[in-house]
Amino acid sequence: MFSTSQSLPLRWHLVRITLGTLIPVVAFAAVVVFQLARTERESVELRVLRSARALASAFEREMSGSIRTLHALAESDHLDRGELEAFHDECARVLRTQPAWRHVLLIAPDGQPLLNTAYPWGSPIPAIADPESLARVVETHQPVIGNIAVGRGARRALAFPVRVPVMRGGALRYVLTAVITPESLTSVVTRQAPGDEEWTRTLVDSRGTVAARTVDPGRFVGQPATSSFMQKTHDLEQGVFANTSMDGVPVYVAFRRSQPSGWIAAVVTPKRILDAPVTRSMLIVGGFGFALLLVSVGGAWVFSRNLERSITGAATAAAALAEGAPHRMEPSSVRELTRLGEALERSGRLLRERERERDANLAAAEAARAEAVEATRAKDAFLAMLGHELRNPLAPIVTALDLLRRRGLAGTPEHEVISRQLRHVVRLVDDLLDVARITRGQMSLHREPLELSSVVARAVEATAPLVEQWRHALEVDVPTSGLRVLGDADRLTQVVANLLTNAARYTAPGGHIQMRARACDGGITLVVEDDGQGMPPDLIPRLFEPFVQGPRTLERSEGGLGLGLSLVRSFVEAHGGRIEAHSDGPGQGSSFTVWLPGHEDAVAPPGPSEQREGIAPMVEAASGEPLRVLVVDDNVDAAEGLADLLGLNGYQVAVAHDCAEALSQVDALRPHVALLDIGLPDVDGYGVAERIRARMGDASPVFAALTGYGQDGDRARSHALGFRHHFVKPIDIDDLSAFLEALRPVRSEAG
């Protein structure tokens, strides 16, 4: 008997129920709030990163203006005629229109300064302050943005050069330089910063010297950035990381590297701003949860006192009823307990009647139990009969084989054939008695390397009596070698035998059956064709489902349960292959095509990324140059997100949202690969591809469709129009990466 000393009062049970109910709710709320806070923080990080990109773009636009002005000045006729004094005056006039420029220099390729607007014509000119950037112009013949340096003049001011080559007749004649002060970049960083933000925007040159800063620029401009900043931004295009600022404050840094200058645009945010949502959310959830627990436990404790008195009264009444003594329960504020008291009073009056009903119910229950036992026995008997009837034909075969062995006749080829086929049939019977296991694909496979011709030979041997019975002409065209698979010989034999058996049964006597196999699509294709009764179109989509069969005639009444083709599909897919059926209609014959991976590819069933179309690389690029990818999508968020992912994977990416912008990006980027959305406004993706081909000619990129249209017709159209791949949204970044990576080896070799 259960001891009352081991039990707890009702009030404690109510408290436990309350705690058990509320704690998971509070925990779930905490998880949800934490996830929301983390999402908010990720949104802020993305916003900071976008701000860094905007700052980098603003810097690039500012420098592009100076470079264009220098290019225009480099076309001066005075330079063609060698009139350097006149060109000095022309540079002085242009200088007055460029408030950001300190002065203009003209330098010979050997580094000798020829003129400097900071000095009168004919005066001695000091040596240049940044020879490294001059050397890069001489080497590349391209505009270069130099690094912050201390000037060689009397003021020793900080400045950085913007240099462009002056080309004449295909040769470098001069280097034209605009010396720009860091103060001119102040407007670039401050334009990007709303006044209410606690973010610090900074421009750092390629050597790590601070060129502009929104907070305390007089203190930090010209100073080197922290070593941790340089380490974490080294060789990266963009990113977000935790760091300590130059003034010792814990911060998060979002940066973007400007190209081709190598300068870094950084946006620095105090950690407390990004961490505040999570901390605040946890404090709110914790405080609210603790208060809720206190209120709930207190309420349960108070309510349990009245409930406990009522239940004690009900227990007393029940004990009196058990002893046969009448007892009236006091009214309770709990409706259920009041009804319990009324029920206890009625129970005394109806006890004898209920005892009689109990006896009747026991008798009925016993009868029902006997009926259920009989039904179970009938089911077991049916299953036993099914197993018996399926195995019954096999028993004499086993006996006969045993007799042959005892008589020393087991060494004949016929005996080996019978033994092998018997094992095959026994295994099939075992599978048929466990249909659920087969449909779930849980059959056992004993894989080994083998030639498909050996499987075909065994299947032909097994079905030969049926083929001869129907007087069919069987044509087998399967090479004896060169078609190796990694598979279960019995299962594959069963696949081929089932297809031959179906062809024989559903073909009129004297028909023709053809079986052929070839290497195809990186694997092996086996085709079984007949000129039999064919199939209606509505049957083909359901043909490989369990218990589905075509129309039967009386002479084919020996057909099975309709599991044969279902088993065939299960076995083929378990080997990583696929099967298709085709018929032109009733009376037009049928064909079944099985594709199996070759021996090297047959380790496991291929996943979606392994079934993509083959990619024949068509890209040539310089060795070590990153793959240039153009993403064209009118969905701005989708395009930018995909570009970010590809950028993080080391690709050089440009984004466009319509045809005109795409053509502009093509001229600037010269992409190797173009990912085109088909459903673009005004001009669809096919039209954009046509215009890009017309513009780039033989240098056109590899095109891939990036679209929400994924029907077979859509795929066929994109392939017909020269698209090398058809990605269906939402895109799988792994498939896309594999597609792009497949181009890398050939690109490296081409370089």
Side-chain angles (χ1 to χ4, degrees):
M1 179 178 292
F2 187 79
S3 173
T4 57
S5 62
Q6 300 174 347
S7 61
L8 292 173
L10 175 64
R11 65 186 61 184
W12 286 110
H13 287 290
L14 291 178
V15 169
R16 292 166 65 182
I17 291 173
T18 302
L19 293 176
T21 303
L22 288 180
I23 289 177
V25 173
V26 173
F28 175 75
V31 171
V32 171
V33 172
F34 180 78
Q35 292 295 334
L36 291 176
R38 188 170 67 175
T39 301
E40 179 182 351
R41 172 175 165 173
E42 291 173 351
S43 176
V44 174
E45 287 184 359
L46 181 59
R47 181 176 156 209
V48 176
L49 184 58
R50 287 176 177 169
S51 181
R53 294 183 197 140
L55 178 58
S57 298
F59 171 74
E60 291 167 0
R61 287 194 299 271
E62 188 76 16
M63 295 300 100
S64 295
S66 295
I67 290 173
R68 286 195 299 271
T69 303
L70 287 173
H71 274 307
L73 187 58
E75 299 297 326
S76 173
D77 293 338
H78 295 306
L79 291 178
D80 295 335
R81 294 191 294 269
E83 300 170 349
L84 297 186
E85 182 176 1
F87 184 68
H88 181 279
D89 297 337
E90 184 177 358
C91 290
R93 289 193 301 272
V94 173
L95 182 63
R96 288 192 289 271
T97 67
Q98 302 294 320
W101 295 7
R102 181 183 295 275
H103 50 268
V104 178
L105 292 83
L106 185 68
I107 308 168
D110 60 0
Q112 178 66 34
L114 302 177
L115 66 83
N116 187 330
T117 58
Y119 296 89
W121 174 255
S123 300
I125 303 173
I128 61 175
D130 184 14
E132 178 185 350
S133 59
L134 176 65
R136 282 161 48 200
V137 175
V138 172
E139 179 183 356
T140 64
H141 293 182
Q142 296 294 325
V144 169
I145 300 172
N147 296 308
I148 297 292
V150 178
R152 300 294 177 87
R155 289 185 296 175
R156 308 291 290 174
L158 293 175
F160 66 94
V162 177
R163 307 187 192 276
V164 299
V166 179
M167 308 296 295
R168 293 294 187 270
L172 179 66
R173 188 167 181 180
Y174 306 106
V175 176
L176 188 60
T177 301
V179 178
I180 301 177
T181 63
E183 290 80 4
S184 65
L185 299 177
T186 302
S187 61
V188 175
V189 295
T190 55
R191 277 200 307 266
Q192 307 296 321
D196 59 343
E197 283 187 346
E198 298 185 49
W199 298 354
T200 301
R201 288 167 167 77
T202 305
L203 286 173
V204 179
D205 69 14
S206 62
R207 288 190 304 208
T209 303
V210 176
R213 200 171 190 263
T214 55
V215 177
D216 204 359
R219 177 183 172 190
F220 294 108
V221 170
Q223 299 298 317
T226 64
S227 59
S228 59
F229 176 87
M230 298 307 298
Q231 290 173 359
K232 293 180 179 180
T233 59
H234 183 65
D235 291 339
L236 294 178
E237 291 295 323
Q238 63 179 15
V240 180
F241 59 89
N243 199 18
T244 301
S245 67
M246 297 178 68
D247 44 9
V249 178
V251 294
Y252 287 104
V253 179
F255 72 94
R256 175 68 180 232
R257 188 178 297 275
S258 175
Q259 296 297 342
S261 66
W263 283 43
I264 298 174
V267 177
V268 181
T269 308
K271 274 191 173 183
R272 56 183 175 80
I273 296 179
L274 294 186
D275 295 341
V278 176
T279 304
R280 183 171 58 252
S281 300
M282 291 299 98
L283 290 175
I284 292 174
V285 171
F288 177 76
F290 183 72
L292 184 61
L293 287 175
L294 288 179
V295 172
S296 300
V297 170
W301 187 270
V302 172
F303 173 73
S304 66
R305 297 182 61 186
N306 296 329
L307 186 60
E308 190 174 20
R309 284 196 295 266
S310 298
I311 293 178
T312 301
T316 303
L321 178 62
E323 296 174 357
H327 182 83
R328 182 175 178 80
M329 182 177 170
E330 294 295 329
S332 172
S333 61
V334 181
R335 178 183 302 173
E336 286 76 7
L337 291 176
T338 299
R339 293 176 61 185
L340 175 60
E342 296 172 354
L344 289 174
E345 292 177 7
R346 290 196 302 270
S347 297
R349 298 192 302 268
L350 301 176
L351 185 57
R352 287 193 180 90
E353 182 180 350
R354 293 298 182 236
E355 289 177 352
R356 290 192 297 268
E357 291 179 358
R358 181 196 61 189
D359 295 338
N361 289 337
L362 287 175
E366 183 64 25
R369 188 189 67 81
E371 184 177 351
V373 170
E374 183 61 29
T376 301
R377 185 183 297 111
K379 180 196 69 176
D380 293 340
F382 171 75
L383 292 177
M385 178 192 68
L386 178 62
H388 174 269
E389 292 302 320
L390 288 174
R391 290 186 170 89
N392 194 46
L394 301 177
I397 302 176
V398 174
T399 302
L401 287 175
D402 187 66
L403 289 173
L404 289 174
R405 282 193 294 270
R406 291 176 181 273
R407 293 172 180 171
L409 302 176
T412 62
E414 292 80 6
H415 180 272
E416 292 303 320
V417 170
I418 296 173
S419 296
R420 186 169 59 251
Q421 297 304 322
L422 178 60
R423 289 194 301 271
H424 185 98
V425 174
V426 170
R427 190 169 179 181
L428 173 61
V429 171
D430 291 338
D431 287 342
L432 289 175
L433 290 177
D434 192 4
V435 175
R437 177 172 62 85
I438 296 176
T439 55
R440 290 195 302 268
Q442 294 180 347
M443 76 289 291
S444 60
L445 291 180
H446 307 291
R447 298 190 181 211
E448 59 181 350
L450 51 89
E451 284 287 347
L452 185 64
S453 58
S454 65
V455 172
V456 171
R458 292 174 58 184
V460 170
E461 180 183 60
T463 56
L466 182 62
V467 173
E468 293 174 0
Q469 176 185 349
W470 291 94
R471 304 186 307 281
H472 295 315
L474 174 60
E475 179 183 345
V476 179
D477 182 12
V478 178
T480 57
S481 62
L483 301 180
R484 291 179 61 79
V485 297
L486 183 65
D488 186 316
D490 291 339
R491 295 303 191 188
L492 292 179
T493 300
Q494 187 175 344
V495 168
V496 180
N498 268 331
L499 295 179
L500 289 175
T501 298
N502 271 10
R505 287 177 174 172
Y506 288 91
T507 301
H512 294 80
I513 303 173
Q514 184 183 45
M515 179 168 55
R516 60 183 182 274
R518 293 291 184 270
C520 181
D521 295 335
I524 299 170
T525 298
L526 176 72
V527 181
V528 178
E529 293 181 341
D530 62 67
D531 56 0
Q533 70 181 47
M535 296 175 287
D538 60 343
L539 177 62
I540 294 177
R542 301 180 294 109
L543 191 62
F544 297 101
E545 297 176 5
F547 308 110
V548 173
Q549 294 178 298
R552 285 186 176 178
T553 58
L554 290 177
E555 65 271 16
R556 296 179 187 90
S557 60
E558 73 278 12
L561 298 174
L563 288 173
L565 291 179
S566 175
L567 293 175
V568 166
R569 181 176 65 178
S570 297
F571 295 153
V572 170
E573 291 179 350
H575 283 81
R578 57 183 180 269
I579 182 170
E580 298 175 354
H582 174 75
S583 176
D584 292 331
Q588 301 298 314
S590 305
S591 70
F592 291 84
T593 302
V594 175
W595 182 89
L596 293 171
H599 178 26
E600 292 76 12
D601 303 321
V603 175
S609 64
E610 298 170 347
Q611 293 176 349
R612 58 184 177 82
E613 296 102 331
I615 302 171
M618 293 176 57
V619 180
E620 292 186 1
S623 176
E625 181 186 354
L627 191 70
R628 299 191 294 273
V629 182
L630 174 63
V631 178
V632 185
D633 194 338
D634 60 335
N635 186 320
V636 176
D637 292 338
E640 294 292 343
L642 181 57
D644 289 346
L645 286 173
L646 294 176
L648 291 175
N649 286 339
Y651 304 109
Q652 184 177 347
V653 187
V655 176
H657 306 301
D658 55 29
C659 180
E661 190 176 359
L663 295 178
S664 175
Q665 292 286 11
V666 162
D667 293 337
L669 182 67
R670 308 299 291 179
H672 300 124
V673 181
L675 304 176
L676 305 183
D677 182 16
I678 301 303
L680 292 172
D682 300 328
V683 180
D684 63 16
Y686 301 127
V688 173
E690 182 178 356
R691 286 162 173 75
I692 292 176
R693 289 192 186 97
R695 180 165 296 201
M696 297 185 67
D698 294 337
S700 296
V702 173
F703 292 98
L706 174 62
T707 176
Y709 304 109
Q711 301 298 323
D712 291 341
D714 300 319
R715 296 177 183 275
R717 183 183 179 191
S718 67
H719 291 168
L721 292 177
F723 282 67
R724 301 287 299 284
H725 206 292
H726 192 99
F727 292 103
V728 179
K729 295 179 181 178
I731 191 170
D732 188 326
I733 194 60
D734 291 334
D735 282 352
L736 178 57
S737 296
F739 172 76
L740 296 176
E741 288 302 318
L743 301 173
R744 283 190 184 277
V746 169
R747 293 179 58 250
S748 297
E749 293 166 8

